[in-house]
Structures are given as C-alpha cells and as structure tokens.
Amino acid sequence: MIVITAPTGNIGRRLLSLLVEAAPEHGEEVRVVVRDPARLPEAVRGRVEVVTGSHGDAATVERAFAGADAVFWLVPPDASLTPDEAYSGFTRPAARVFAAHGVGHVVGVSALGRGTPHAGRAGLVTASLAMDDLIAGSGVAYRALACPSFFENLLEEAGSIREDGVFTDTVAADRPAPMVAVADIAATAAGLLLDRSWTGVGGVPVLGPQDLSPDDLARIMTEELGRPVRYVRESLDELRSTMLGHGLNEEFVAGMVAMKRAKDLGLDSGADRSPRQGPATAFAQWCAHTLKPAVLAAPEAVDAR
Ligand SMILES: NC(=O)c1ccc[n+]([C@@H]2O[C@H](COP(=O)([O-])OP(=O)(O)OC[C@H]3O[C@@H](n4cnc5c(N)ncnc54)[C@H](OP(=O)(O)O)[C@@H]3O)[C@@H](O)[C@H]2O)c1
C-alpha cells in the first residue's frame, strides 16, 4: 500500500495520476489522504482508497498510515505559522505514526541546500531540512527530494508577464541556479515509491537540465512566448513589506526573506548533477507547454496551478 499526501497539489496530483496507472502492474494499492475528496479527479475515483482529513492531524494519519508500506510526504507551507510549526510541527504526528505502524519507506518533498554553508540560515529551507531530520529520526527508510525553485512559481507571474512583460524575484539577474518542473519531481517520487530497493536515509537532488539566471529565464521566455519579457529585481525589504502587508506570520516572512537571501548567496549553486536522476524537463519546453497557454489565456481563466 502506497499512501499519497497532498494529492490535489501541484506535485501530488501528478504523482497520483502516475501511481494510479503504474501501481497495479507492481501489485500495489494506492491510498490518498485528502481534506476534500470532491477535489480528486473523476478519473481516479474508485481506483484509490480515500482517507478524509488533514495529514497534519494525529487521528487522520493514524488511520491513513495503518498498513502502509510507503508514504509520499508533502507539507503544505502555512504562512500563518512560524517555519518550525509549518514544517516540523505539521510533520510531528506523522513521524510518530511512521514509527508506531512500522511504515517502511517515506519519500518527502524538501529543498536543496544540505551541506552548504548557508543551510543553517536559509529560513524555510532550514525548516524543511529540520523536517527531513525529524522523519529520518522515526526510523523509516527516507529519501528527501532536494528541490530547487519550481518552474511553476512563474505561473504566479503570468498576469504581469501578459500585461507588462515583467517577472520579479530578489536574486541577482546574472546568478545561475538550478530549477525544476513539478512533473519531474512527481516522476522521481513515483520511481522511488514503486522501486523500494533503497535503504537508509538520503537526499535525491531533482534538477532541471541546466542552471539558469533570471536573465536566462527572460531570454528563453521572450523566445518561447514571442513577446518581450524582462526581469525586475525586487529588494528583500520590498518582499518583506509586501508579505507583511498580506498579514502573514512575521517569523514565516523572516523565513522567506532568509531563504531568498541564501539563494542569492548561492544556496542552490553547485548542486550535484551526477548521477542523473530521472526525467529533466527543459525550461524552454516547459514555457511552450505550460507558461505560454497561461500567459495567452484570458486573465480570468488563468489558474496559478
Ligand atoms: N515552490 C518552490 O519553489 C519549492 C521549492 C522547494 C520545495 N518546495 C516545497 O514544495 C511543497 C509545495 O508543493 P506543491 O507546490 O505541490 O504544493 P501545493 O500545490 O501548494 O499543494 C498543497 C497541497 O496541500 C494541501 N493542503 C493545504 N493545506 C493543507 C492542510 N492544512 N492540511 C492538509 N493538506 C493541506 C492542498 O490540498 P487541498 O487544498 O485540496 O486540501 C494541496 O493538495 C512545500 O512543502 C514546499 O516547501 C517548494
């Protein structure tokens, strides 16, 4: 039995569709933990077992992980909490149940940065790495999917790209770093969940095929969208004020700012690209298939997912 948490999210819904197709060939069943089962796609209804509730809730994970051989673990970052509450606090009930139910294998979504000089001061990334330690401490075999920033973050900028030809971030315009498509994260997770010959604890970097700076992204978007796109660098103070203006938790905002500062200092640079792990969608390909339709869509039709 493979259990998928957050099956309606960016990564989770892609993983769900991969596992629903592939699990029967492997003699596996799939169970999902979902707050609102109505949000599951029609195509998977009746093909998966459903446990209703939040995977941050002790009673829910007690039911959801009973008899589980493997679990896909994804924390929904809640900006109303501190980073520690949002990652380790959310994960603590599950980690207890992993141990109590003898769950064998867990694959979790985490971040690049472990082992770098910035890892301890990288805000949300530091919190994510602490979550990995908590899961690893439960005694399961664990693989942390060490992810850089997702291509999909740019979907949140589809409106400003359409209206003004502009996207924004806080890193230097010429700082190259890896990025990744969520489809590649889902495919890597599916591979690890279906072939559980691995043991112990480790990180699996999940990277797109090349490091890209914001200027590289602007050039490729310009080519693929057929319209000029340029990068505007925002200061960390501007980012902090905007997030605080939305009423988010002050420590969470500090964690986001610290993560952005660490990325600008090279948190993700020099990530290990060998041996190559799974599929690697190129940014140009992602722009053509995913960003372009979102940018060309009528504004009200754009779904940031
Ligand atoms: N974005 C990046 O660049 C980046 C980079 C590295 C790592 N990450 C990590 O990637 C993860 C985000 O992945 P994603 O983009 O796939 O997530 P997402 O699309 O935001 O999905 C969040 C999922 O969590 C569920 N959810 C929300 N609040 C919940 C709650 N209180 N209890 C239970 N379920 C809840 C949502 O389901 P419903 O709303 O349907 O219930 C949804 O399925 C985070 O852990 C983040 O730290 C992100």
Side-chain angles (χ1 to χ4, degrees), residues 5-12 34-36 39 53-56 74-78 87 90 109-112 128 147-150 153 182 263 305:
T5 65
T8 56
N10 282 316
I11 300 167
V34 64
R35 293 190 296 181
D36 176 5
R39 299 202 58 206
S54 167
H55 54 297
L74 186 142
V75 163
D78 182 344
Y87 285 88
F90 188 92
V109 173
S110 187
L112 277 180
S128 193
C147 300
S149 301
F150 302 169
N153 297 347
V182 293
K263 284 191 183 258
R305 286 182 169 184

Side-chain angles (χ1 to χ4, degrees), residues 3 18 27 29 48-49 158 183 195 205 218 288 292-293:
V3 181
L18 292 173
E29 290 174 316
V48 297
E49 223 183 87
D195 175 0
K292 190 170 184 176

